[in-house]
Each structure stands twice: as structure tokens, then as C-alpha cells.
Amino acid sequence: MKEKRFWLRTVILAIMLAAIGYTIYSNVFVEKKAIQVGDSAPDFVLTDLNGNNIQLSDYRGKGVFLNFWGTWCKPCEKEMPYINSQYNVYKNKGVEVIAVNVGEAKVTVQTFVDRFQLTFPVVIDQQDQVMNAYDINPLPTTFLIDKDGKIVDIITGTMTEEDVKKHMERIKP
Amino acid sequence: MEQVKCECGHVNPIGTVLCEACGKPLEEVPVLLDMRYEGSARRSQTYNKTIIDKIWNFFSSVKVGVWLIVITLVASAIGTVYPQQMYIPPTVSPAEYYEQQYGLLGKWYYALGFHDLYSSWWYMLLIALIGVSLVICSLDRVVPLYRALNNQRVTRNEQFLQRQRLFSRAKVEHDETAWRNIVDKLTKRGYRVREENGNILAEKGRFSRWGPYVNHIGLIIFLIGAMLRFVPGMYVDENMWIREGEMKEIPGTNGKYFLENQKFIFEVYEKETEKEAFQAAIDRIGSGMMAKNYQTDVVLYERIGPVVAGEEPKLKKIKSFSIRVNEPLKHDHYALYQVDFKLDELKSMSFHLTDKQTNKSFGTITIDLIQPEKEYDLGNGYKVQLLSYFPDFYFDENGNPNTRSKVPNNPAFVFKMFAPDRPKGEVSFTAIRQTIEPLGNNKYKMAFAGIETRNVSALTVRRDFTLWILGIGGAIFMIGLIQGMYWNHRRVWIRRINDEVLIAAHTNKNWFGLKKELEGIFHDTPFVMPIDQADNRS
């Protein structure tokens, strides 16, 4: 009888603890995002400024530094030159950069790209499809994707050149 | 297991105040008995051996439960002192905002998570602990109460009877007819009458005693439903802005559904068009001041084939629908609700390429403000190039033209105008009511020729698989409430001891009602109506 009561209480408490633990964990300690570190990066295909299709799955075997940005976003503007200069170092080491613009006019994006002489592919997400798939908010957000297409890390907010270098190092195949 | 044996022979769990069977007080008790939980042993109070028992006993205390509720209430109240995060300007960082606006208090307000109260871990924990308290308190009380009510005997201990609130004792001649009469009257009033050795227990509405526990079950189910919202896929709550003529992926559907906005309609009540009956009301508010309809005419499409984000989707039309307030478009458990709108967003702007001197126009260009062209050829050697485009123009802190967003709220352009007599082109910066010629005086200008606008509609995307659980929880909650509120658990004991008749009665609420009922029963009988001993004492 006493045994039975002990186990009954233990089981009830354990069930409640598990439920509460899960709720609080999934709410507070996990970003409420459709996409998370460790997931495989959703494939996408977008057109760059030169009219070439850029498809993420074609980049298997290389690290991908996937940056979401807008021309009006000051932190994005600040980190763009850093990304550009580190790209020139790391592209020979198997790290690619794809910069996804969040659906601005092509003219606006082109002006920006020319101004900073960006050499990596810049694609425009005209229909917000890729933004939805990657659940983007806020800008800038950068996904570090390894050679197997897994998301290694998600970085929101601006990066220093040192940060960019460090992150590219992480996804070097 | 330790137990207490009553003199009537019934064996009670330790901690029992009133014997489950005969009602004899087993401990020192006040003159009038406290009938809560029938004097049963609240299970937890008794054993305190293992850590599990200790935790269990902590939550079994109603006092603890009440404190949890009080703390939650106080926290909720504090959460209303400064605005919640969703109400502060979206452009500022909350960490800075609260400190700047409200000083040190604001800093702590933010640090402790009051700025987003419902999502702060400790608030959720409080709610969860209330849930735990609810489960354990209920379990610890409902089981012994059930036992006590199930084990109660017809013949009750004398002490139990005379220490009931309603009680009488009198010498009454034994009269079988009068006795039968009482039984009949009780039965007629819905009592279930049990007889044993010439004693009576009449009982009705025991079902009311389970009300609070049914109510708690409802609450627990409700909490489980609320918890399930955090399970991926159970709950979708997204927002989308969609312009007239635009086709967009519906967020939250994983790229499966697309929506086309054909038209947004905003209507108001106007004097001329409404029926006679509405005229007075319209006069009072003003013609054209009261919204009548917000409506988005949409077409829903489903994507065919595998989802690759960004790819031009192959679409199959599902249906056309007019979304209005409270009339959502429903499909595949998704619902699209009308929530907001923006009238007359700029769609395109037109300019004439004009000779400043003669005002002669050499053609008109119309610029799509979402996707402008790089170059507009007007023929005869006249053309206009778009060097830069700022949809939401302002001068930034360095004095450079920049854009605040991608929404065409305040478009500005850098044009390069080519003419046969200006083959190298002239550069002009053109914004609304503003033209700058950065490279000196131009011969030509872009003269404003008109705008086109369109409306933008905001929709909420909802999918909620927890709703039916919340509904069931709420319904059970109400059933429990009604059960406990509108029924009373009433009992009447009649016991014959030698030539005396002892009558006692108890109800869990509404003593007035019980007394009225007893008056009706004992009126014109040899028996003495029980007296309210609580009245006598005061």
C-alpha cells in the first residue's frame, strides 16, 4: 500500500514535471523559429543580378555563408564590406557566400552592390518565399551551413570582420 | 499502515477527524463540527517520509495554492505598469528602451522579464505550479471525500448528530404512520431515503460535491491545451501584408499555399445609400465616418510538386473568396482573417521628360515603384536611365540619400536623362516636391505627371489544433461550476434513541433553503423541526 502510494505519487509528479519542463524549455530556451541550428538548410533557388539561378543544393561539399539583408538596414551595410573581403580569402578554401536581399527593387540592389563592389552572388527574394522558409526576423541574419547542408549556427545582428572570419573558418570543409 | 479504529468498528485512515462510518469525532473538535471533506483524512498530511512525499505534501496545501495565485496576480499587475514589449516602438532595442524611458526601474523591469511577462520563464513556471497544486490538492481531497461519503452509515453517532448545525432532540411517541409520512415527504422532495434499525438517512444532491473537482479537471485540460500550442505544427499565428494584384506565399504553410489579392474594399455608411432606418444613426456619427466593410477578394492556390523556396511555383487554383471581418477564408485547417489595411499605397509614378525652357515634353515614363526598370526608352534619341531608386527616401546622418524600408512611402530617384543634344546625359535627383541637380544646371527635367495607387490588405494566418481541447476544457469547467453551484448536497439524519428522536441536517451550502425545506417536511408532524445551533451561539 505504502509502496503503491509512493510510486503513484512519483509517476504523477514525473508526468507533470516533464510537461512543465518541455513547455518552459521549448518556450524560453529554444528560439521560437521554424528553423533551428542542426536542421538541414531548406533548399531554395533564386536568381542573381546577372540572371543566373543560384540553388543552395548545388553548393553541397562547400560551406555556405548565407546572409539575409536589405539596403536600408544599417548593420547589414556595415558588415557587407567585411563579408566581401573575407569571401575573397575563403572562396579558395571552399566557403561560398550567398547574400539574399529581402525583396527590394533590382535597381536599388544593383546600386548597393556596385557601391560596395560585392563579388559574391546577390539574389533577390522577390516573393518572400525564402524569407518564410528561413523565418527571417530581424535583419541581418546569417546562416552558417556546412558542407553537408546542415545549419551550424544562426547569427542575428551585425558582425565585425573578425566575426566574419571566425564564422567562415567554422564552415570550411 | 497506521489506522484508527472507531468504536463502531469501522477502520479509518490515520488523520481522520470524523469516523467515515458513524461520524463520531476521533479527535478534539469544536462544539459544532467542521464538515469540510466530511472530516476525512487529507491523505498528504499523514506521511512525510520520502522526498516525493514532501514535495507532494507541499503542493497539497491549499495555502500554498492560494499563495501561488496571489504571487501570479501581483506579477501580472506589475506587468501592466510599463508597456509590454509588443507595444513599444519596433525599431528600438527593448534593453535600451526600458532603461531610457523608465530609468533604473525600467532596467530591472526588463531584466526580470516583466516586459514580456507571458513568455518569461518564471511566469510560466508559476502558472505550471498552480496547475500542479490544482492536481495534487484535488486528488488529495476527492479520494478521501469519496471514501467518506461512500462509507457513511445510516446510524450515526449521537455526538455527530448533536454537533450538527441543524439539530433537535425531543421525546416523541412512536407512531408508525407519522414515521412513514416523513419518509414519504422526504422521498417526494427528491431525497434518497435509507433506513436501518429504525433510523433514517435521507440524502440528495451528493453529485454537487464533485463539482469543484470536475471544474478542476476542466482547468487542467485547458492548461494542457494551452501547453500544446508550443508543440510544433499545433498552432500557427502569422501575419501577411499583400498588395492588390500581388501573389504571395502564405507564411506558416511551409510554402504549400499561395494567395492572390485581387482587390481590397473599404466601405463606409453614407447617408445617400443607406435605408431610412439608419439615417438618424448616420447623422449622429457623421456620414462616411463609420466603417461598414473591410473586404479582401482573394484567390487561393496550392503549390504542386516539391517545395523549393524561391522557385517559380506551379499553382493549382483552390478557390476564390471574399475575406471579411469575422468571415475568414478557411482551407485545410488554415484560416485567413482580415486584420488591417492600408489605403492608397503608391503603385507607380509618371514623369514627363521636359525641356525646362520651353516646357515641351518628349514623352512620358511610368515607373513601377516595386520593380522599376533600369532604362526607359522614349524614342527619337530620348531615353531615361534610373541610376538609383529609394522607395522610402530620407537623408541619412551622413547626408546621403537612403531608404528607410522597401515600402514605396516616399519614392526618390536618380535619373540620367539622355537627349539628342545631351548624348552624355544629365543627372537629376527627383523626389516628391524636390529636385536636385548635383552636376550643375540641366536643360531637361523630369516633370511629375501623376501617380497610381493601390490598397494593401493585412491578413492573419491561423491554424489552431488546440482549440477543441480548449473548448472541451472550458465546457467541463462550466459543467463543474454549474454542478457545484446549482445543486446542494443535503442530508437529514433521524435517529431514535430509546423514546427520544434526534434529528440533524446538513447541507454544503444554502442553509436557508434547507431550513425552508425542513419546515415543509416537519410541519404538522409529531417531530420537532431542527434548530439552527449557529444562531443560538451568537
Side-chain angles (χ1 to χ4, degrees):
Chain A
M1 187 65 184
K2 220 182 278 179
E3 276 290 90
K4 198 181 130 199
R5 189 193 64 237
F6 175 80
W7 286 114
L8 194 68
R9 288 182 173 184
T10 309
V11 167
I12 294 173
L13 282 174
I15 290 171
M16 290 192 290
L17 187 74
I20 294 165
Y22 173 78
T23 309
I24 293 182
Y25 173 78
S26 62
N27 247 290
V28 182
F29 300 104
V30 181
E31 282 278 318
K32 263 172 271 174
K33 292 275 184 187
I35 186 163
Q36 281 161 15
V37 171
D39 292 351
S40 74
D43 194 18
F44 65 84
V45 56
L46 288 172
T47 313
D48 74 3
L49 295 173
N50 305 321
N52 304 317
N53 273 354
I54 304 286
Q55 184 151 9
L56 182 67
S57 50
D58 295 343
Y59 286 75
R60 277 293 153 83
K62 289 177 172 180
V64 177
F65 188 93
L66 180 64
N67 178 262
F68 288 83
W69 68 285
T71 63
W72 71 84
C73 143
K74 285 285 168 191
C76 308
E77 188 178 321
K78 203 166 158 237
E79 68 184 13
M80 260 326 167
Y82 305 149
I83 298 173
N84 202 29
S85 69
Q86 288 305 317
Y87 169 65
N88 288 326
V89 176
Y90 276 91
K91 68 179 167 190
N92 299 323
K93 299 178 182 174
V95 176
E96 292 289 338
V97 172
I98 305 174
V100 180
N101 175 276
V102 293
E104 290 183 88
K106 202 175 162 189
V107 176
T108 311
V109 176
Q110 185 70 58
T111 313
F112 185 94
V113 167
D114 292 345
R115 193 167 127 222
F116 291 98
Q117 296 175 348
L118 305 179
T119 49
F120 46 78
V122 174
V123 293
I124 303 177
D125 184 23
Q126 241 16 295
Q127 285 188 311
D128 296 351
Q129 285 192 42
V130 181
M131 276 184 71
N132 287 342
Y134 281 82
D135 207 357
I136 298 303
N137 184 44
L139 290 181
T141 298
T142 302
F143 290 80
L144 303 180
I145 302 168
D146 70 9
K147 61 180 193 319
D148 304 318
K150 287 262 175 301
I151 296 170
V152 176
D153 204 353
I154 303 171
I155 297 123
T156 54
T158 186
M159 289 178 268
T160 62
E161 181 146 13
E162 198 51 42
D163 293 336
V164 174
K165 182 170 189 260
K166 203 176 69 202
H167 292 316
M168 288 196 179
E169 193 63 43
R170 290 169 70 186
I171 47 174
K172 202 172 72 173
Chain B
M1 190 176 184
E2 296 172 78
Q3 284 164 332
V4 184
K5 192 169 178 185
C6 175
E7 64 178 36
C8 73
H10 185 75
V11 178
N12 295 287
I14 190 152
T16 304
V17 183
L18 304 174
C19 171
E20 290 174 336
C22 73
K24 182 180 188 301
L26 300 173
E27 292 176 5
E28 281 295 310
V29 289
V31 178
L32 281 187
L33 296 179
D34 181 358
M35 290 289 285
R36 258 194 309 171
Y37 314 120
E38 298 291 297
S40 58
R42 214 179 82 216
R43 317 182 106 200
S44 53
Q45 285 178 327
T46 42
Y47 307 95
N48 215 348
K49 304 247 165 60
T50 61
I51 179 80
I52 292 291
D53 288 331
K54 287 201 168 101
I55 295 171
W56 188 272
N57 294 352
F58 176 74
F59 285 109
S60 176
S61 158
V62 168
K63 212 182 263 174
V64 168
V66 170
W67 271 109
L68 285 171
I69 293 171
V70 169
I71 293 168
T72 310
L73 276 177
V74 171
S76 306
I78 294 173
T80 66
V81 174
Y82 299 139
Q84 289 288 294
Q85 187 176 13
M86 65 176 106
Y87 298 114
I88 70 169
T91 47
V92 295
S93 137
E96 291 164 19
Y97 180 85
Y98 285 98
E99 195 175 353
Q100 275 168 14
Q101 293 286 312
Y102 310 110
L104 197 62
L105 279 178
K107 189 181 172 182
W108 282 102
Y109 195 79
Y110 175 78
L112 294 174
F114 281 105
H115 68 291
D116 191 8
L117 193 63
Y118 294 152
S119 306
S120 75
W121 65 269
W122 56 265
Y123 191 85
M124 272 189 236
L125 190 64
L126 276 174
I127 301 287
L129 292 182
I130 291 175
V132 171
S133 160
L134 218 58
V135 170
I136 294 180
C137 279
S138 301
L139 274 178
D140 261 6
R141 286 168 178 74
V142 73
V143 176
L145 178 63
Y146 175 81
R147 269 181 63 107
L149 289 176
N150 219 27
N151 287 332
Q152 64 177 335
R153 286 195 194 142
V154 175
T155 311
R156 281 285 167 134
N157 184 278
E158 191 177 343
Q159 276 204 59
F160 176 86
L161 295 179
Q162 67 194 14
R163 290 164 106 174
Q164 290 298 321
R165 193 173 146 182
L166 289 181
F167 176 70
S168 72
R169 168 184 220 131
K171 283 198 170 135
V172 180
E173 289 277 316
H174 186 70
D175 174 355
E176 190 59 32
T177 327
W179 192 262
R180 284 296 122 217
N181 185 20
I182 288 292
V183 172
D184 277 354
K185 280 181 167 177
L186 283 167
T187 313
K188 224 172 261 168
R189 283 182 160 78
Y191 283 89
R192 287 191 303 114
V193 180
R194 284 159 65 192
E195 286 182 83
E196 179 188 280
N197 304 328
N199 304 316
I200 286 178
L201 164 59
E203 184 177 14
K204 73 172 173 186
R206 187 195 286 188
F207 145 91
S208 151
R209 295 293 283 271
W210 314 125
Y213 308 103
V214 172
N215 172 274
H216 284 178
I217 290 169
L219 258 180
I220 299 289
I221 293 174
F222 197 94
L223 281 177
I224 290 171
M227 218 168 64
L228 284 177
R229 289 201 162 180
F230 304 124
V231 175
M234 289 296 280
Y235 183 65
V236 170
D237 183 13
E238 301 269 357
N239 254 315
M240 71 185 295
W241 282 93
I242 183 162
R243 301 181 171 98
E244 284 176 332
E246 217 173 20
M247 161 88 84
K248 259 187 163 176
E249 181 186 306
I250 302 175
T253 64
N254 301 321
K256 195 174 170 198
Y257 292 104
F258 282 71
L259 196 73
E260 184 189 350
N261 177 358
Q262 294 188 313
K263 194 169 175 54
F264 175 78
I265 299 166
F266 172 55
E267 289 170 304
V268 289
Y269 287 99
E270 274 164 344
K271 231 174 141 53
E272 301 78 38
T273 51
E274 296 304 325
K275 285 189 195 125
E276 191 62 34
F278 299 125
Q279 296 297 323
I282 291 172
D283 275 337
R284 187 159 47 80
I285 290 171
S287 183
M289 299 300 286
M290 176 62 74
K292 184 180 178 183
N293 185 24
Y294 303 100
Q295 177 179 329
T296 311
D297 293 341
V298 297
V299 184
L300 177 70
Y301 296 91
E302 185 179 346
R303 179 183 223 144
I304 297 167
V307 177
V308 178
E311 197 177 48
E312 196 55 49
K314 282 195 195 70
L315 297 176
K316 185 179 91 187
K317 180 177 166 180
I318 305 285
K319 59 175 137 182
S320 298
F321 191 80
S322 294
I323 300 173
R324 306 169 75 186
V325 175
N326 293 332
E327 291 173 27
L329 163 59
K330 289 191 172 172
H331 182 72
D332 189 16
H333 304 289
Y334 287 101
L336 291 165
Y337 291 89
Q338 183 71 52
V339 284
D340 204 353
F341 67 99
K342 184 172 137 193
L343 293 178
D344 301 328
E345 185 186 270
L346 290 171
K347 177 173 185 266
S348 68
M349 276 177 111
S350 303
F351 295 93
H352 303 303
L353 177 63
T354 313
D355 187 316
K356 278 157 80 178
Q357 219 87 64
T358 62
N359 259 341
K360 185 173 185 312
S361 168
F362 298 96
T364 307
I365 66 169
T366 299
I367 301 169
D368 182 318
L369 295 176
I370 300 303
Q371 199 57 269
E373 301 286 327
K374 188 96 193 106
E375 192 173 289
Y376 298 85
D377 198 341
L378 294 168
N380 302 327
Y382 292 95
K383 69 173 181 184
V384 179
Q385 268 183 4
L386 185 56
L387 297 185
S388 290
Y389 168 51
F390 308 97
D392 196 357
F393 154 73
Y394 76 111
F395 280 112
D396 66 14
E397 60 273 15
N398 304 324
N400 295 323
N402 211 323
T403 185
R404 276 181 219 281
S405 68
K406 60 175 175 174
V407 183
N409 291 324
N410 182 23
F413 314 86
V414 179
F415 291 119
K416 198 168 194 183
M417 302 165 288
F418 294 88
D421 56 344
R422 291 288 186 278
K424 282 188 183 149
E426 291 179 335
V427 175
S428 162
F429 178 86
T430 306
I432 293 172
R433 295 166 182 273
Q434 194 174 8
T435 303
I436 298 167
E437 297 172 354
L439 307 173
N441 258 336
N442 291 346
K443 180 166 186 278
Y444 296 96
K445 70 168 182 185
M446 298 301 288
F448 178 73
I451 54 165
E452 253 187 291
T453 63
R454 60 180 160 182
N455 302 328
V456 195
S457 178
L459 304 171
T460 284
V461 186
R462 264 298 153 68
R463 171 142 94 157
D464 193 348
F465 288 126
T466 68
L467 217 50
W468 64 273
I469 302 175
L470 298 181
I472 289 174
I476 293 175
F477 180 99
M478 281 311 293
I479 290 170
L481 213 60
I482 291 166
Q483 195 176 336
M485 290 278 266
Y486 294 105
W487 278 267
N488 312 140
H489 180 216
R490 292 177 177 173
R491 274 173 295 173
V492 181
W493 296 272
I494 305 175
R495 183 171 173 193
R496 182 173 284 281
I497 301 178
N498 303 324
D499 55 349
E500 281 188 320
V501 172
L502 281 65
I503 303 176
H506 179 262
T507 179
N508 63 336
K509 56 166 67 78
N510 189 7
W511 289 88
F512 180 77
L514 176 61
K515 283 186 231 169
K516 289 303 256 187
E517 190 167 62
L518 293 181
E519 273 167 26
I521 291 165
F522 292 108
H523 183 69
D524 281 340
T525 68
F527 301 99
V528 178
M529 160 79 193
I531 294 159
D532 192 340
Q533 304 194 78
D535 287 348
N536 293 353
R537 278 152 47 87
S538 59

